Amino acid sequence: MDSTALPELQTAMSLVSISSSAPGLMPPPNLVTSGTAVSNANTLLGNRQSTTTVNMINPLATDLYISGQVTQVSWKGNFFGTITATYEQTVPANGEVTTPPLILQHPSGLDFGIFLTTKFIPTYPLMALGGAMVPFDLDAMISVRVGGPNGYPATIHYVQQQDIIFPPIGTTVAHRLLPTL
C-alpha cells in the first residue's frame, strides 16, 4: 500500500482553502436598528468626515464577535462615503450593543462639495432648519466570529436601500437602519 509522508501532506494541506456561503436567516433580521451621526458644514466640506454610532442586535443564540466593517453609503446613486473601521466588540446572544464611534469618510475633491451644495442640500432644505428625512443606500460587510472571540470567522453582508436617515446639519442625526442578510 502506497502512502504519503506526513510532512508532504502537511505542506499540501497548508495550501488548501475552504469557504462556504449561506443565504442567512429567513426572514432576514434587522441587525442594525438605529444610530446617530454628527456632522456640520465644516466636517462635510472641511475634513469630509461624520462621526457615527449604530445600535446592533444579534439574532443568534450565540455570541457574535465583531472585528470590523466596511460600509458604502450612497444617495440616489451618488457615492456619499465609506465607513472603514476595525474594532473589537461582542454582541451577546440575542442581545444588543452600540458600536464605538465610527468615521464616515465622505469623498474628497471639488465634485463632492459641488454635489453637496447643489444637489443634496437643496433637495432637503429643512436640513438647515434642524433636520430632514433622507433616504440613503447602504452596502455593508461586517467581519465577525460566530460564537465569540474564539468562534469561527465569517463575513455578514447586507444591503439596505432607501434607509431613512434624519441628518440635521450641525446637530446629532438619528436614523433607523433595516438591513437584510
Side-chain angles (χ1 to χ4, degrees):
M1 180 164 125
D2 292 333
S3 65
T4 304
L6 189 57
E8 291 175 15
L9 184 58
Q10 288 173 330
T11 301
M13 290 305 294
S14 71
L15 301 174
V16 174
S17 176
I18 300 173
S19 67
S20 64
S21 178
L25 301 172
M26 294 297 170
N30 297 339
L31 298 182
V32 179
T33 58
S34 64
T36 62
V38 178
S39 59
N40 57 45
N42 187 45
T43 60
L44 289 175
L45 298 174
N47 65 8
R48 306 280 173 101
Q49 295 180 344
S50 297
T51 302
T52 65
T53 60
V54 294
N55 296 321
M56 301 181 70
I57 66 161
N58 176 6
L60 304 176
T62 187
D63 289 350
L64 194 61
Y65 176 80
I66 299 172
S67 59
Q69 68 170 286
V70 176
T71 302
Q72 303 288 324
V73 181
S74 62
W75 175 79
K76 294 189 177 185
N78 297 284
F79 180 64
F80 205 79
T82 303
I83 295 171
T84 303
T86 301
Y87 59 97
E88 297 179 358
Q89 184 171 39
T90 300
V91 186
N94 299 307
E96 181 175 357
V97 298
T98 300
T99 65
L102 308 171
I103 299 296
L104 172 61
Q105 181 66 58
H106 303 289
S108 61
L110 185 59
D111 290 344
F112 182 72
I114 291 172
F115 154 76
L116 199 62
T117 56
T118 63
K119 292 183 181 176
F120 183 73
I121 293 174
T123 302
Y124 303 99
L126 291 177
M127 222 178 313
L129 300 175
M133 300 205 41
V134 180
F136 286 96
D137 296 334
L138 308 173
D139 189 331
M141 301 292 283
I142 303 174
S143 300
V144 301
R145 286 192 171 269
V146 178
N150 298 317
Y152 68 87
T155 300
I156 297 173
H157 179 211
Y158 71 83
V159 175
Q160 168 67 37
Q161 295 188 348
Q162 301 297 304
D163 174 40
I164 302 298
I165 298 177
F166 187 69
I169 298 292
T171 59
T172 299
V173 180
H175 56 92
R176 180 163 177 80
L177 307 174
L178 305 173
T180 56
L181 287 177

